[in-house]
């Protein structure tokens, strides 16, 4: 693909383009020597209490075939390389809502050839669905869902020029199709659909006014041309994964915000903090040409108003979204909440960039059902994870004492603070999931082509080892941790690897994957991660779907289910070629799964003659049984 076509790339592909993998290097031979498959597995045995759990499944059995299917209500399906979705026998899928579907009756119908018009663009379901959560409000089912980014080649088929918006109107159209949709859904004769014109329906875009709260609110670092007081922010950007608070609000997580900003002054010198966060002179969408807000040579603090966790009340369409700066600023993937035994709220969060960090926030106040929750996400401590080789770990507090930074600086430049305390550089932390039926949490580490061969943007080393045991890791793994004293607020934990993705037909070393990866279930790049009410771990992938080379036999992106007790993993769903499977929630009766298909290729799901449409699908059992 030409560089000029870069907006047709996924975010991952664009990032690879901008930060290419270095040529061969000295580390390769070191890794070959250190990471034979046998060596890797015996290393795992040495791990702490978690290894005992793994030992019953992954390591105690002599072959993958010894894993017994016990908890899966479906027969696993093979890989696919075609342009549609596949689910197991006895299950069916159907689109529920697609890019461009009207939320309000005053929106124009979607045009399969030209897409969405500017006038309708904030009245329809946006593009590139990602994190998704469902809420029950009285008799209503409300869904909040992210629109991570837009493909300009898809959204601007008429005017698209060199992958960037050609006019201010183009830029506005793109801005409107991102952000968040809140919508009421209902099941009719034709299946699940949006309740058009429901009073709960709402679009939140890159222009919706938001509040800033917590330590950075009002600080000099967030004072902008539009708000010299630094108490508000304009819109939300690159809304990736999601979260749900115990009190029933939606958390949307701002990931690759840096790409929306550029400079009309090509000679502008970047600050170290801008460089650390990837804010640069060349914007991905060209917005800076049309609006000073996106031009860091004119409004240098505007990027500091992005990169946060945003709380939205899905039951109040007039509410102002809140950016909680106490939860730190980085490329937020998702936000997984837990309640400590004493009632404090814990929020786990990954920073999805090569060799950045895994964080948690612990509130000072305690959650009381029905009580005041307004301070819980503003008043507390941000921690960052340090993993030790022996299977233990520590959450390091980011405080003025530990970092030499003010509370506002720790919030705005959390990466810098985390580097200061010596956190563990990770293989791109994507979604975190908290188990509902054991005191444990899991994080998908999607891949890291620079592990062991280049430092992160802050200069931190990326040693091979611990939860990141493979150099130039192109397959990814899932780490899980068990908080000390069965308390998510405790600063200590033990950890192990739940799975290491790999390709056992191509490799016989660590790159073949852990023992619960077989020729029959293999995948790469775990990303979305949700644990259902029965404790099954649902794994969604966003990886290389070429089905060639190191990825041969892995097919399109997919969704698998894992049993944490035995380690076994079965493939449940395959997505259309070119697309990513991301975002999962359930209907109130747990008889339908809502699953996101992002940036599909071809003509998914409408067929010949239509632009490809990012879609939330509904999956159910043909016997209408429970599904999670
Ligand atoms: Fe938006 Fe890291 O996925
Ligand atoms: Ca994505
Ligand atoms: Ca993701
Ligand atoms: Ca990803």
């Amino acid at each position: 693909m030409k560089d000029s076509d870069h907006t047709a790339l996924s975010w991952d592909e664009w990032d690879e383009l901008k930060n290419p993998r270095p040529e061969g290097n000295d580390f390769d031979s070191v890794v070959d020597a250190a990471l034979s498959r046998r060596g890797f597995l015996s290393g795992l045995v040495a791990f702490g209490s978690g290894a005992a759990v793994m030992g019953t499944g992954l390591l105690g059995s002599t072959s993958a075939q010894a894993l017994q299917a016990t908890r899966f209500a479906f027969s696993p399906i093979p890989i696919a390389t075609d342009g549609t979705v596949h689910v197991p026998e006895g299950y069916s899928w159907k689109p529920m809502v697609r890019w461009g579907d009207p939320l309000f009756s005053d929106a124009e119908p979607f045009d399969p050839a030209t897409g969405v018009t500017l006038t309708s663009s904030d009245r329809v379901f946006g593009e590139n669905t990602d994190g998704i959560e469902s809420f029950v409000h009285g008799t209503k089912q409300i869904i909040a869902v992210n629109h991570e980014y837009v493909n300009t080649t898809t959204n601007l088929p008429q005017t698209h020029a060199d992958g960037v918006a050609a006019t201010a109107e183009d830029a506005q159209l793109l801005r409107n199709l991102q952000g968040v949709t809140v919508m009421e859904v209902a099941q009719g004769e034709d299946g699940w659909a949006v309740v058009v014109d429901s009073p709960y329906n709402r679009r939140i875009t890159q222009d919706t006014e938001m509040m800033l709260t917590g330590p950075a609110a009002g600080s000099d670092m967030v004072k902008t041309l539009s708000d010299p007081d630094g108490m508000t922010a304009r819109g939300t950007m690159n809304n990736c994964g999601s979260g749900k608070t115990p009190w029933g609000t939606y958390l949307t997580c701002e990931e690759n915000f840096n790409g929306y900003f550029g400079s009309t002054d090509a000679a502008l010198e970047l600050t170290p903090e801008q460089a650390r966060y990837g804010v640069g002179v060349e914007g991905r969408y060209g917005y800076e040409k049309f609006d000073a807000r996106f031009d860091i040579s004119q409004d240098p603090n505007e990027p500091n108003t992005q990169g946060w966790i945003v709380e939205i009340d899905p039951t109040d369409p007039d509410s102002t979204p809140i950016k909680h700066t106490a939860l730190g600023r980085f490329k937020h993937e998702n936000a997984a909440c837990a309640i400590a035994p004493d009632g404090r709220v814990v929020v786990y969060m990954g920073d999805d960039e090569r060799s950045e960090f895994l964080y948690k926030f612990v509130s000072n106040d305690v959650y009381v059902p029905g009580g005041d929750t307004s301070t819980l996400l503003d008043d507390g401590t941000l921690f960052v994870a340090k993993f030790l080789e022996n299977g233990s770990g520590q959450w390091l507090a980011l405080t003025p004492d530990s970092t030499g930074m003010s509370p506002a600086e720790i919030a705005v430049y959390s990466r810098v603070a985390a580097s200061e305390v010596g956190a563990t550089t990770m293989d791109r932390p994507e979604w975190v999931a908290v188990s509902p039926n054991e005191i444990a949490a899991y994080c998908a580490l999607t891949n890291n082509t620079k592990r062991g061969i280049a430092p992160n943007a802050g200069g931190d080393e990326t040693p091979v080892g611990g939860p990141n045991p493979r150099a130039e890791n192109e397959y990814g793994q899932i780490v899980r941790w068990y908080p000390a004293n069965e308390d998510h607020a405790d600063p200590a934990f033990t950890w192990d690897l739940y799975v290491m993705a790999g390709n056992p037909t191509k490799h016989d070393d660590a790159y073949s994957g852990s023992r619960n990866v077989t020729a029959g279930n293999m995948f790469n790049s775990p990303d979305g991660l949700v644990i259902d009410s029965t404790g099954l771990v649902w794994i969604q992938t966003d990886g290389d779907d070429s089905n060639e080379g190191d990825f041969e036999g892995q097919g399109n992106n997919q969704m698998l289910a894992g049993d944490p007790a035995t380690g076994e993993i079965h493939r449940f769903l395959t997505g259309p070629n070119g697309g990513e499977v991301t975002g999962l929630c359930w209907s109130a009766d747990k008889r339908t799964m809502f699953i996101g298909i992002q940036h599909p290729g071809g003509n998914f799901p409408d067929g010949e003659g239509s632009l490809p449409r990012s879609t939330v699908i509904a999956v159910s059992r043909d016997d209408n049984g429970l599904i999670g």
Side-chain angles (χ1 to χ4, degrees):
M1 192 168 291
K2 300 198 309 281
D3 188 47
S4 62
D5 277 344
H6 64 261
T7 53
L9 302 172
S10 74
W11 267 101
D12 286 354
E13 290 164 340
W14 188 69
D15 194 36
E16 285 279 0
L17 189 72
K18 294 293 164 199
N19 301 285
R21 179 195 322 209
E23 297 296 322
N25 56 82
D26 293 345
F27 265 92
D28 293 345
S29 53
V30 176
V31 168
D32 286 347
L35 283 182
S36 70
R37 181 166 168 78
R38 173 177 295 194
F40 167 68
L41 289 173
S42 51
L44 273 185
V45 173
F47 289 170
S49 65
V53 177
M54 278 189 91
T56 61
L58 309 194
L59 307 173
S61 58
T62 53
S63 74
Q65 288 71 32
L67 297 173
Q68 297 295 313
T70 51
R71 298 191 51 199
F72 298 90
F74 62 91
S75 299
I77 63 170
I79 62 163
T81 57
D82 61 6
T84 191
V85 167
H86 298 275
V87 292
E89 200 181 329
Y91 291 75
S92 298
W93 71 275
K94 199 169 188 181
M96 177 171 75
V97 58
R98 302 155 294 178
W99 161 57
D101 280 343
L103 302 173
F104 302 96
S105 52
D106 60 5
E108 297 159 74
F110 180 82
D111 184 317
T114 60
V116 178
T117 63
L118 175 58
T119 47
S120 293
S121 55
D122 59 355
R123 309 290 284 167
V124 299
F125 191 72
E127 213 208 349
N128 281 335
T129 177
D130 207 323
I132 183 169
E133 305 287 345
S134 58
F135 301 86
V136 177
H137 183 55
T139 59
K140 309 291 190 187
Q141 289 192 57
I142 300 173
I143 283 181
V145 53
N146 291 342
H147 304 289
E148 186 180 35
Y149 72 105
V150 288
N151 294 94
T152 53
T153 45
T154 307
N155 283 280
L156 302 170
Q158 314 298 313
T159 59
H160 170 266
D162 290 336
V164 293
T167 63
E169 288 71 31
D170 284 353
Q172 187 65 54
L173 171 76
L174 301 181
R175 299 218 301 269
N176 286 354
L177 287 163
Q178 301 177 62
V180 176
T181 288
V182 181
M183 60 191 180
E184 183 184 343
V185 298
Q187 198 170 20
E189 276 183 9
D190 217 20
W192 286 93
V194 177
V195 178
V196 174
D197 291 329
S198 163
Y200 298 103
N201 292 358
R202 180 181 190 187
R203 278 301 318 285
I204 292 163
T205 72
Q206 292 187 348
D207 293 295
T208 303
E209 181 157 325
M210 315 220 155
M211 263 193 297
L212 289 169
T213 61
S219 79
D220 287 347
M221 292 171 283
V222 293
K223 291 177 177 168
T224 60
L225 291 180
S226 66
D227 181 7
D229 295 330
M231 295 304 293
T232 61
R234 295 166 73 187
T236 183
M237 288 179 185
N238 213 262
N239 305 78
C240 184
S242 56
K244 190 174 178 179
T245 63
W247 49 97
T249 56
Y250 183 66
L251 300 174
T252 183
C253 307
E254 298 175 344
E255 192 189 23
N256 294 299
F257 63 89
N258 57 314
Y260 298 89
F261 299 93
S263 172
T264 54
D265 172 7
L268 182 76
E269 214 164 295
L270 300 176
T271 66
E273 291 82 10
Q274 284 171 331
R276 180 69 190 270
Y277 281 82
V279 173
V281 167
E282 188 193 353
R284 189 176 183 196
Y285 293 100
Y287 289 0
E288 70 277 9
K289 288 186 294 195
F290 309 112
D291 190 337
R293 170 188 171 193
F294 300 98
D295 182 352
I296 59 171
S297 71
Q298 297 189 63
D299 204 355
N301 288 338
E302 184 73 20
N304 293 345
T305 68
Q306 302 291 333
W308 303 106
I309 300 278
V310 188
E311 184 179 13
I312 296 168
D313 182 352
T315 67
D316 179 2
D318 298 320
S319 59
T320 302
I322 300 168
K323 297 200 176 194
H324 289 289
T325 69
L327 275 59
R329 177 172 165 268
F330 40 89
K331 294 187 178 179
H332 278 288
E333 181 70 23
N334 86 324
C337 294
I339 303 284
D342 65 5
R344 285 181 292 166
V345 177
V346 178
V347 188
Y348 290 111
M349 303 168 286
D351 181 353
D352 179 11
E353 180 126 37
R354 291 180 193 80
S355 307
E356 288 293 341
F357 306 119
L358 178 66
Y359 296 82
K360 79 170 177 182
F361 169 85
V362 181
S363 69
N364 285 342
D365 297 331
V366 300
Y367 169 61
V368 178
D372 177 18
T373 57
S374 63
T375 62
L376 291 176
L377 300 183
D378 292 331
D379 185 10
T381 304
L382 190 61
F383 295 80
V384 67
K386 186 175 182 70
F387 291 81
L388 301 177
E389 291 286 340
N390 67 2
S392 70
Q394 285 287 325
W395 291 99
L396 307 174
L398 302 178
T399 65
D401 273 354
S402 68
T403 64
M405 298 164 67
S406 71
E409 288 169 333
I410 292 167
V412 178
Y413 302 126
S414 309
R415 286 180 169 182
V416 178
S419 289
E420 189 63 33
V421 301
T424 300
T425 58
M426 304 296 285
D427 284 350
R428 295 187 53 198
E430 301 254 23
W431 288 57
V432 178
V434 172
S435 175
N437 55 12
E438 60 173 343
I439 309 298
Y442 293 61
C443 179
L445 302 171
T446 198
N447 55 54
N448 185 353
T449 51
K450 291 187 180 172
R451 168 64 56 189
I453 61 172
N456 70 10
D460 301 316
E461 292 303 316
T462 62
V464 173
N468 312 285
R470 293 176 294 186
E472 297 186 73
N473 171 21
E474 61 186 354
Y475 292 123
Q477 63 268 10
I478 295 175
V479 64
R480 70 180 156 188
W481 58 94
Y482 299 89
N485 301 308
E486 303 203 317
D487 179 355
H488 282 288
D490 198 289
F493 60 91
T494 57
W495 64 272
D496 69 7
L497 291 175
Y498 173 61
V499 63
M500 282 183 56
N503 191 328
T505 69
K506 290 280 175 179
H507 301 281
D508 57 8
D509 57 10
Y511 298 86
S512 65
S514 49
R515 198 166 288 172
N516 50 347
V517 169
T518 68
N521 72 1
M522 61 178 167
F523 60 95
N524 72 85
S525 305
D527 184 336
L529 200 61
V530 181
I531 305 179
D532 72 20
S533 58
T534 73
L536 280 185
V537 181
W538 294 90
I539 304 163
Q540 301 175 317
T541 72
D542 170 25
D544 189 313
D545 69 352
S546 65
N547 202 36
E548 290 176 352
D550 274 357
F551 307 101
E552 188 179 345
Q554 301 189 339
N556 293 349
N557 280 304
Q558 52 190 283
M559 186 167 92
L560 311 100
D563 181 346
T566 64
E568 66 184 321
I569 294 173
H570 288 178
R571 186 181 296 116
F572 176 79
L573 174 147
T574 54
N577 188 261
E580 160 188 356
V581 182
T582 182
L584 169 62
C585 67
W586 283 263
S587 60
D589 65 7
K590 297 272 199 302
R591 295 181 196 280
T592 305
M593 279 176 153
F594 302 115
I595 300 166
I597 304 295
Q598 194 192 74
H599 59 81
N603 309 109
F604 182 84
D606 294 352
E608 199 66 31
S610 173
L611 292 161
R613 301 175 75 181
S614 172
T615 300
V616 175
I617 62 170
V619 175
S620 56
R621 288 171 59 125
D622 296 340
D623 65 4
N624 202 32
L626 295 172
I627 192 172

